[in-house]
């Protein structure tokens, strides 16, 4: 006969195994090395470098931090969940102000998301973030003008 302790142990082992399998399915967050993290190779080299320089200068002048991240896919996660993990891991913005912004583009899933740190939620409310994605970024992406769309979206955030 199986004791209660053995049953509980087996149950906990199954839970742990399930959690590890789920975590293994999550897309890894790349190491932050530049303001433009073009992991999906969606931008031209010159546009990426120009936007990197611009965002570094912006951060020096304003203190807040804007980062662009492109990834091939994030399934099974949603853009919100993946962006939340990225924001937590990268700790964007100033420490006590939480004034970082992440523009996420998921190439293969054709998804975008604009994550805003708590310190900027008043300046960039959800409705404004949605307008940037829908009215500024999306038309440029549909027209095949990825570089221009990303740059215009970033300018709207500033």
């Amino acid at each position: 006969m199986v004791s209660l302790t053995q049953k509980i142990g087996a149950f906990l082992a199954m839970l742990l195994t399930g959690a590890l399998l789920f975590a293994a399915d999550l897309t890894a967050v790349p190491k932050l090395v530049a303001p433009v993290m073009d992991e999906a190779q969606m931008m031209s080299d010159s546009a990426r470098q120009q936007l990197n320089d611009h965002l570094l200068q912006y951060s020096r002048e304003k203190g807040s931090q804007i980062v662009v991240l492109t990834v091939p896919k994030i399934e099974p996660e949603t853009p919100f969940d993946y962006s939340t993990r990225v924001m937590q891991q990268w700790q964007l913005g100033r420490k006590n102000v939480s004034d970082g912004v992440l523009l996420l583009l998921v190439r293969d899933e054709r998804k975008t998301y604009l994550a805003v740190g708590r310190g900027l939620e008043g300046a960039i409310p959800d409705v404004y973030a949605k307008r940037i994605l829908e009215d500024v970024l999306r038309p440029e992406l549909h027209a095949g003008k990825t570089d221009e769309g990303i740059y215009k979206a970033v300018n709207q955030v500033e």
Side-chain angles (χ1 to χ4, degrees):
M1 204 164 178
V2 179
S3 72
L4 180 60
T5 305
Q6 289 173 321
K7 287 180 183 179
I8 292 174
F11 177 72
L12 291 175
M14 288 185 342
L15 275 178
L16 180 60
T17 301
L20 290 174
L21 288 173
F22 178 75
D25 284 342
L26 300 180
T27 303
V29 174
K31 182 179 178 185
L32 179 63
V33 295
V36 180
M37 299 289 297
D38 189 16
E39 301 293 301
Q41 303 299 308
M42 293 177 68
M43 299 181 73
S44 69
D45 290 339
S46 60
R48 184 181 321 111
Q49 185 58 51
Q50 182 181 5
L51 188 54
N52 261 323
D53 294 343
H54 176 77
L55 291 176
L56 286 170
Q57 182 66 29
Y58 176 84
S59 183
R60 282 191 292 269
E61 290 176 4
K62 305 290 184 184
S64 59
Q65 190 176 11
I66 301 171
V67 174
V68 175
L69 172 62
T70 71
V71 292
K73 64 184 191 81
I74 58 171
E75 288 180 338
E77 286 183 282
T78 65
F80 173 81
D81 292 336
Y82 185 73
S83 294
T84 299
R85 281 198 310 121
V86 172
M87 292 285 281
Q88 288 172 346
Q89 187 168 327
W90 286 354
Q91 298 293 306
L92 297 180
R94 292 172 285 190
K95 185 174 182 172
N96 295 326
V97 182
S98 187
D99 58 352
V101 175
L102 171 68
L103 174 59
L104 172 69
L105 292 91
V106 186
R107 182 191 64 209
D108 298 347
E109 298 167 28
R110 296 176 163 246
K111 296 178 180 176
T112 58
Y113 190 76
L114 190 62
V116 179
R118 293 188 193 279
L120 290 175
E121 286 177 346
I124 308 171
D126 290 344
V127 67
Y128 186 61
K130 185 176 180 177
R131 280 190 201 137
I132 292 171
L133 296 176
E134 296 288 326
D135 299 341
V136 177
L137 180 60
R138 180 162 289 140
E140 297 292 340
L141 294 177
H142 284 298
K145 299 178 181 179
T146 304
D147 295 341
E148 292 88 345
I150 292 171
Y151 203 84
K152 286 179 179 180
V154 166
N155 281 335
Q156 291 294 308
V157 170
E158 295 175 341

